[in-house]
Amino acid sequence: MLVAAELAGVETPLRQHGRFVGASGDRPDRALLRAARLRAAERPVVAVSLLCVATPSLERRVASVLRKLLAIAPRVPLSVLDDALRAGWRPVSLPRRVLGGICSSFAWAELDDTRADVHAVVHIDRRRVLSGIEFALARIFLTFGPVLSFQDVIRIGGDEGLNPSSIGVYLTRTPILSRLERGRYALRVAA
């Protein structure tokens, strides 16, 4: 189908990477490829859920980002989790089905297929999950947000004793915040 689309001049968001299909700009994750090859050597058909369990580093990354988001809000849509994973300093791009499979493997979270979101089945302590600066930024956005300019965050954070340089780094690196446009930020999820 991808070859037919290319011949017809139809743009698609997918591209073939060897024997795998993925998003146009993304390369398949090395750990995922390695796990897929190992599992495929054992069996000709590999279930997505089995592949999710086979890549612990990927599972840890998703768990870390999901916990941070659930520390802010009771429910996290898969689309928001996907955005947070793609926006990190080491972007992760997963098909929705794989992302849902990973989330459903966590004992502390539950995937709601009908709502396409995840919620925690245990209490997630914001102070333990977020770093000190992330915790302060979450409090700033929950109190003064929902959308703040870079200058506002620097001013409010400075009043709370935060280092302006650290604030600048965390505004672009933490998965709990989203850059809306140049110099404007918001929490990814509403509390």
Side-chain angles (χ1 to χ4, degrees), residues 130-143:
L130 301 176
S131 71
I133 294 175
E134 285 175 319
F135 182 79
L137 288 172
R139 189 177 62 245
I140 288 168
F141 276 87
L142 290 169
T143 304

Side-chain angles (χ1 to χ4, degrees), residues 3-189:
V3 172
E6 186 178 329
L7 290 173
V10 175
E11 291 289 322
T12 68
L14 301 174
R15 192 178 121 214
Q16 187 171 351
H17 305 281
R19 292 173 36 198
F20 297 90
V21 173
S24 293
D26 298 332
R27 303 285 304 155
D29 181 84
R30 284 186 187 151
L32 188 61
L33 288 174
R34 194 169 34 255
R37 285 188 185 105
L38 288 171
R39 297 297 178 184
E42 297 168 9
R43 302 181 185 130
V45 176
V46 181
V48 170
S49 58
L50 185 60
L51 241 139
C52 295
V53 173
T55 56
S57 63
L58 182 63
E59 188 175 357
R60 279 192 305 272
R61 179 83 183 279
V62 173
S64 173
V65 171
L66 181 59
R67 270 193 198 98
K68 288 176 185 268
L69 293 173
L70 286 171
I72 306 290
R75 299 188 90 80
V76 175
L78 285 177
S79 60
V80 171
L81 176 59
D82 183 44
D83 287 343
L85 288 165
R86 288 173 188 258
W89 60 276
R90 284 183 43 216
V92 172
S93 176
L94 297 169
R96 226 17 96 73
R97 189 169 145 219
V98 173
L99 187 57
I102 293 173
C103 291
S104 65
S105 72
F106 302 139
W108 48 268
E110 187 173 278
L111 174 68
D112 185 338
D113 280 325
T114 58
R115 292 175 56 145
D117 69 9
V118 182
H119 64 274
V121 294
V122 298
H123 172 71
I124 296 181
D125 184 2
R126 191 178 292 171
R127 283 198 177 273
R128 295 189 74 213
V129 172
L130 301 176
S131 71
I133 294 175
E134 285 175 319
F135 182 79
L137 288 172
R139 189 177 62 245
I140 288 168
F141 276 87
L142 290 169
T143 304
F144 301 99
V147 176
L148 294 171
S149 71
F150 178 83
Q151 295 303 323
D152 288 339
V153 179
I154 295 292
R155 181 181 47 77
I156 297 166
D159 292 346
E160 294 192 12
L162 296 177
N163 180 326
S165 297
S166 297
I167 294 171
V169 169
Y170 272 83
L171 281 174
T172 59
R173 296 256 174 113
T174 181
I176 66 169
L177 297 175
S178 174
R179 180 177 167 224
L180 302 177
E181 58 188 33
R182 185 178 175 147
R184 296 189 62 75
Y185 299 87
L187 281 174
R188 266 188 210 283
V189 288

